[in-house]
Amino acid sequence: MLHLASQIAETAAFVRTHWNATPKAGVILGSGLGDFAHEIEAAATIPYADLPHFPHTTAIGHAGRLVCGALAGAPIVAFQGRFHLYEGHSAETASLPVRLLAALGGRTLIVSNAAGGLNPQYGTGDVMLIDDQINLMFKNPLIGVNDDALGPRFPDMCAPYDKQLQRRAVEIAMREGFVLHRGVYASVLGPNYETRAEYRMLRRLGGDAVGMSTTPEVIAAVHARLRVLGLSTITNVGSPDSLGETCGHEVLTVAAAAGAKLSAIVRGVVETL
């Protein structure tokens, strides 16, 4: 990790040549949720390929752009795409958007993803508020010599998702009239979808939704002392006894259809920061 601080400082300096505000929050937009970036009054849009030390995105539905601007009158940055471990990236690389947000002065991270439903009460197109997580990737962005300038050697993970932000999200969902579940997000390496036996295992371990991202980003956010709000769009339901086939394009379609719910929550939360 000792090289990370200098690299992120260089990336942040490049961003500031295009946009010099301090973001109130940063939003990582998961699969199928990239259209939320259009909600932002963009002052600068920077391809990841132009950002020093940022790799390209290869996952479908991830445009690979940093959008800087304003939402609900507040300065904000949106990461239109993320880096997955299944693309061959390290967990440290997956955390780069979080590190950049912190270097720009942002103190709140809103992270979204598309996920498979494990809880039998969930339906396709529902949104789950992430209350906790299970990291079954067996990878961690903090491996290596710790840089105390970035965060503590042993960050506490007893409450990685901010309770106050969760309460605000629930209030918004009630006001807007849609169901907002609360549950545990389990992350796996991917890129294949789960077997029936794996769905059963994940449910018995306490998972309510499963996906292939997010946990490395949240670990890095806690390390950087950021407040975190997590949201999963349930794009398919993993019922082991009646499991149908899932493909990436169907996931994107369902996630995009649920975009209005995500948009309402993110806008409402940012308004209160």
Side-chain angles (χ1 to χ4, degrees):
M1 291 178 62
L2 294 180
H3 64 284
L4 189 57
S6 61
Q7 290 184 350
I8 289 298
E10 184 178 343
T11 310
F14 178 84
V15 172
R16 293 201 180 283
T17 65
H18 294 76
W19 185 73
N20 201 33
T22 299
K24 289 283 188 181
V27 186
I28 297 178
L29 300 171
S31 299
L33 302 172
D35 284 348
F36 173 78
H38 300 311
E39 301 275 335
I40 297 172
E41 298 174 21
T45 300
I46 309 170
Y48 287 171
D50 293 346
L51 291 174
H53 308 295
F54 263 55
H56 294 273
T57 55
T58 65
I60 59 173
H62 292 253
R65 291 190 293 259
L66 173 64
V67 180
C68 308
L71 180 70
I76 189 173
V77 293
F79 296 90
Q80 207 173 9
R82 55 158 50 95
F83 308 115
H84 301 83
L85 274 63
Y86 68 71
E87 297 174 82
H89 299 302
S90 67
E92 181 182 285
T93 298
S95 72
L96 287 177
V98 178
R99 299 298 186 185
L100 179 56
L101 171 63
L104 292 172
R107 305 314 305 163
T108 299
L109 171 68
I110 302 173
V111 61
S112 67
N113 58 55
L118 301 170
N119 191 315
Q121 297 182 1
Y122 294 0
T124 300
D126 286 354
V127 177
M128 184 190 83
L129 186 63
I130 306 177
D131 184 58
D132 209 343
Q133 65 185 37
I134 302 173
N135 183 6
L136 294 176
M137 292 177 169
F138 304 108
K139 303 286 185 179
N140 192 305
L142 308 184
I143 294 295
V145 178
N146 188 65
D147 185 343
D148 293 338
L150 296 177
R153 169 76 281 186
F154 301 108
D156 185 88
M157 292 290 291
C158 70
Y161 296 91
D162 187 90
K163 297 298 183 183
Q164 183 178 357
L165 295 178
Q166 288 187 46
R167 286 193 292 271
R168 178 57 181 152
V170 170
E171 292 171 357
I172 295 164
M174 292 178 64
R175 183 189 69 199
E176 297 294 325
F178 62 84
V179 173
L180 180 61
H181 302 289
R182 187 194 304 264
V184 175
Y185 176 83
S187 65
V188 294
L189 191 59
N192 58 286
Y193 294 112
E194 292 71 33
T195 67
R196 289 175 296 161
E198 287 167 344
Y199 276 124
R200 290 192 183 98
M201 175 196 71
L202 291 164
R203 181 61 182 153
R204 289 172 181 170
L205 287 175
D208 293 291
V210 58
M212 305 172 192
S213 66
T214 303
T215 56
E217 298 157 349
V218 173
I219 291 171
V222 172
H223 186 249
R225 300 181 179 88
L226 304 185
R227 302 171 69 199
V228 181
L229 176 69
L231 300 162
S232 292
T233 298
I234 307 302
T235 53
N236 60 291
V237 178
S239 176
D241 298 319
S242 58
L243 191 61
E245 292 188 2
T246 302
C247 76
H249 292 290
E250 291 176 355
V251 166
L252 295 183
T253 299
V254 175
K261 299 176 184 177
L262 270 296
S263 176
I265 293 174
V266 174
R267 180 178 290 275
V269 168
V270 169
E271 286 176 345
T272 65
L273 294 178

